Amino acid sequence: MAQHDTGRGHARPGRPGQHPLDREAEELGVAVMAASRLFVAISARALASTDDSLTLPQLRALVVLDTCGPVKLVVLAATLGVNPSTALRMVGRLEALDLVDRRTNPANRREVVLSLTADGHDLVTRVLAHRRAEIRKLVQRLPTEERAVLVPALHALTTAAADEMAVDVYGDARLDQGIVDDPIDPASPPHPQDA
């Protein structure tokens, strides 16, 4: 029977009759999920060391605003994968903490545009610097040969995810003056209900 390393020094048997590619996909899935949990823990620790009153979803909203510049509420909600009312509640909390600024879009008075305040930008900068430092320390503990194969493998994984999920995982999207009417089709006209 096939054995699988779970990453904790324990082998786990494969399912009888399981194809080797299925076993490999399962093993890769387990490894990616473990890495994902590790990076979430690093992000949580970085956030807690900087501001223990925020949640990871709130930090993610701040990072989106920092990366994309001023955006409409519906764009923020779509980027976060939440409905606009959830995003609005989150923005309200962040605005109360003076981390987010909410203003009327000068190009369309029915729309609200969100941006980071100076304090919000400062917080994102500190948290991300802390997270990068922790990841750097972790990576430096890896042998050179393992680092060399990890980089192209991670690039391949994120590129495959971007293709599959139709998202720009590297944050290279350039927004027209920081505002997009439709995150799926930026050229489409705005919808009145999206304000």
Side-chain angles (χ1 to χ4, degrees):
M1 187 182 302
Q3 300 288 309
H4 297 282
D5 184 359
T6 62
R8 294 184 182 166
H10 303 289
R12 143 178 113 195
R15 286 179 254 150
Q18 188 177 30
H19 190 275
L21 287 177
D22 292 338
R23 285 194 301 273
E24 181 181 42
E26 186 176 323
E27 190 174 321
L28 282 169
V30 168
V32 168
M33 290 303 295
S36 175
R37 285 191 297 275
L38 169 67
F39 291 121
V40 168
I42 288 171
S43 293
R45 196 166 42 228
L47 180 58
S49 74
T50 309
D51 185 328
D52 61 0
S53 67
L54 291 181
T55 65
L56 283 176
Q58 290 169 334
L59 173 63
R60 189 165 170 242
L62 294 175
V63 170
V64 168
L65 292 173
D66 191 53
T67 304
C68 299
V71 297
K72 293 185 340 183
L73 178 67
V74 292
V75 173
L76 178 65
T79 304
L80 297 175
V82 299
N83 63 46
S85 63
T86 299
L88 182 60
R89 284 191 301 277
M90 184 183 301
V91 166
R93 285 187 220 113
L94 295 171
E95 189 177 28
L97 294 169
D98 195 34
L99 300 173
V100 170
D101 183 45
R102 183 180 0 187
R103 295 184 187 234
T104 302
N105 183 351
N108 183 344
R109 311 273 311 149
R110 295 175 294 163
E111 298 173 345
V112 173
V113 177
L114 308 168
S115 60
L116 281 185
T117 62
D119 287 347
H121 175 72
D122 224 28
L123 176 66
V124 169
T125 301
R126 288 192 326 268
V127 171
L128 296 184
H130 189 277
R131 185 172 69 178
R132 273 191 301 276
E134 278 206 49
I135 291 171
R136 187 178 306 114
K137 282 190 257 181
L138 178 66
V139 169
Q140 287 173 340
R141 294 193 330 229
L142 292 174
T144 305
E145 312 79 48
E146 289 182 11
R147 287 195 309 256
V149 296
L150 187 59
V151 171
L154 288 173
H155 280 296
L157 181 64
T158 53
T159 299
D163 292 345
E164 177 72 21
M165 301 173 78
V167 294
D168 182 2
V169 292
Y170 293 108
D172 292 333
R174 302 291 180 241
L175 304 177
D176 180 29
Q177 297 177 7
I179 301 170
V180 231
D181 293 317
D182 182 342
I184 305 302
D185 180 11
S188 73
H191 302 286
Q193 72 273 16
D194 290 347

